[in-house]
Amino acid sequence: MAQPATLPLLPLSISTTTGNNSNLEESDEELFMVPDMEAGEEEETKMINQGSLQSSNSNNNGGEVAPPKRKRGRNPVDKEYRRLKRLLRNRVSAQQARERKKVYVNDLESRANELQEQNFKLEEKISTLVNENTMLRKILMNTRPKTDESEDPKCS
């Protein structure tokens, strides 16, 4: 029976040295890239299934067909690889969520500042218009002709 190839473990953190080991330093993009190993796993599974079918067909003695053997559990190395891959995806996703939240909060703060400035300008305008209105009312009251109480047009 063929042994499945072991999968390399992904490091959770990469330490960089200050020496001349530039091959240890990786860019941010390379840190967040997760290699896709599932395509290789599918091919490997197909090969194992084909091999088990061929061996079951060669052992076919009385027309009995033996079902292909199924794996009971995942390989511990595979489990660890998947766990590390999931952790890395979660870290990347969390970082992206934090960045989106920062952008959102900054947008809200700038919008609040704009609205406060607009509110201040409108309050100034209201104050000016109220003052103008009272001044015009006073002018109007002063320019009206005063009627004498002695001269009543109704009585004549």
Side-chain angles (χ1 to χ4, degrees):
M1 179 181 266
Q3 290 288 331
T6 59
L7 301 173
L9 297 179
L10 290 175
L12 287 178
S13 63
I14 298 176
S15 61
T16 58
T17 59
T18 57
N20 293 334
N21 295 338
S22 62
N23 58 353
L24 291 179
E25 297 179 8
E26 294 187 22
S27 68
D28 287 341
E29 287 182 16
E30 291 172 347
L31 285 176
F32 292 123
M33 287 178 53
V34 179
D36 187 17
M37 301 298 280
E38 292 178 7
E41 292 174 8
E42 291 173 3
E43 292 174 8
E44 189 176 299
T45 307
K46 286 180 185 176
M47 290 175 53
I48 291 172
N49 287 340
Q50 287 175 354
S52 65
L53 285 176
Q54 289 174 356
S55 65
S56 67
N57 287 339
S58 64
N59 292 339
N60 196 358
N61 287 342
E64 295 179 23
V65 177
K69 293 185 179 181
R70 295 177 60 186
K71 284 186 174 180
R72 293 209 166 189
R74 285 211 170 110
N75 182 346
V77 174
D78 188 31
K79 280 185 179 179
E80 182 67 12
Y81 170 76
R82 288 178 182 266
R83 185 182 75 82
L84 292 174
K85 188 176 175 182
R86 186 181 68 247
L87 283 174
L88 185 59
R89 277 195 317 257
N90 286 346
R91 285 182 183 178
V92 170
S93 178
Q95 181 62 35
Q96 289 172 344
R98 284 190 292 271
E99 289 173 5
R100 282 194 306 268
K101 183 179 177 182
K102 264 186 199 175
V103 168
Y104 177 72
V105 168
N106 288 339
D107 287 346
L108 282 180
E109 288 174 349
S110 65
R111 178 89 170 118
N113 289 336
E114 289 172 6
L115 290 174
Q116 284 176 345
E117 290 174 15
Q118 184 181 7
N119 192 24
F120 181 71
K121 289 177 183 176
L122 289 173
E123 284 176 350
E124 284 182 344
K125 192 171 186 177
I126 288 172
S127 175
T128 304
L129 291 173
V130 166
N131 288 338
E132 185 180 349
N133 191 12
T134 55
M135 187 174 63
L136 289 172
R137 284 179 186 260
K138 285 180 183 178
I139 291 173
L140 183 63
M141 294 298 282
N142 289 336
T143 58
R144 279 190 182 169
K146 294 188 178 183
T147 59
D148 243 350
E149 292 177 7
S150 60
E151 296 178 19
D152 197 10
K154 292 179 186 177
C155 295
S156 339

